[in-house]
Amino acid sequence: MSEQAGSDDGARPFLYVVVCAAGVADGVGQLVDAARERGWDVGVIATPVAMGGFFDVAAVEARTGRPIRSAWRTPDDPRPFPAPDAVVAAPATFNTINKWAAGLADTLAVATLCEASGLGVPVAVLPCVADALAVHPAYRESLARLRGMGVRFGDPYTGDAQEGGGRPDFGWENALDLLERR
């Protein structure tokens, strides 16, 4: 990121979507489509593990018209995305949330979240964390730290099967609602 956040040239606002490795990541195209319908241009940044088959990379690139980023660029490479006006992390996993809160920016995805927080860019998160992990003290402390930094959280999603089978919808648009909340 490293440049000032925000669109001031009359262009559509730019949204970074950080995708983590969770089973529901295959629905990230729904978030991209909803964001574009609400007037955002979108760039996707994925964790390295998420790039390993958790979603259809080519389909999401076709939706955004941009490459998906997962690794740092070299200083000579052009910036593929403008500075973000907002960032969504969805689905956000136990690992990513804890690393972000601790400032362990060992992937482009986590470094992006750390920088966005430092620049004051609005960040909305849709956690996707199993109940057994959600009670871990480190996770609870991470949520408290990130909330204290102004990060907006949606309801947690565990993906537990519903009565009669099936799984609940992930609620991708909730992230956009969180960003529109003042």
Side-chain angles (χ1 to χ4, degrees):
M1 236 176 335
S2 297
E3 60 252 24
Q4 288 203 2
S7 296
D8 57 6
D9 60 2
R12 290 165 50 112
F14 202 85
L15 178 68
Y16 285 9
V17 173
V18 175
V19 181
C20 300
V24 296
D26 65 349
V28 71
Q30 294 173 52
L31 175 58
V32 170
D33 291 345
R36 292 183 53 75
E37 287 172 13
R38 292 192 192 191
W40 295 91
D41 279 335
V42 180
V44 175
I45 299 168
T47 64
V49 177
M51 291 292 288
F54 280 84
F55 66 101
D56 186 337
V57 171
V60 173
E61 286 179 338
R63 280 182 155 112
T64 65
R66 297 175 183 275
I68 293 175
R69 300 208 43 219
S70 183
W72 279 278
R73 62 181 183 80
T74 65
D76 293 334
D77 291 337
R79 294 183 183 279
F81 301 160
D85 293 287
V87 177
V88 166
T93 60
F94 176 84
N95 190 47
T96 294
I97 290 170
N98 285 324
K99 288 195 308 183
W100 176 18
L104 300 175
D106 64 342
T107 66
L108 178 63
V110 178
T112 298
L113 294 169
C114 289
E115 283 190 5
S117 300
L119 291 170
V121 173
V123 181
V125 180
L126 299 180
C128 185
V129 176
D131 287 341
L133 294 174
V135 297
H136 193 285
Y139 179 71
R140 292 181 178 276
E141 291 168 11
S142 293
L143 292 177
R145 174 177 276 177
L146 293 170
R147 282 187 179 112
M149 293 166 46
V151 175
R152 304 166 189 183
F153 282 88
D155 292 332
Y157 179 88
T158 63
D160 292 338
Q162 295 176 317
E163 200 172 303
R167 302 216 184 275
D169 290 334
F170 184 63
W172 293 98
E173 287 194 50
N174 293 342
L176 301 173
D177 296 340
L178 289 167
L179 290 175
E180 291 171 357
R181 184 185 81 201
R182 296 286 175 215

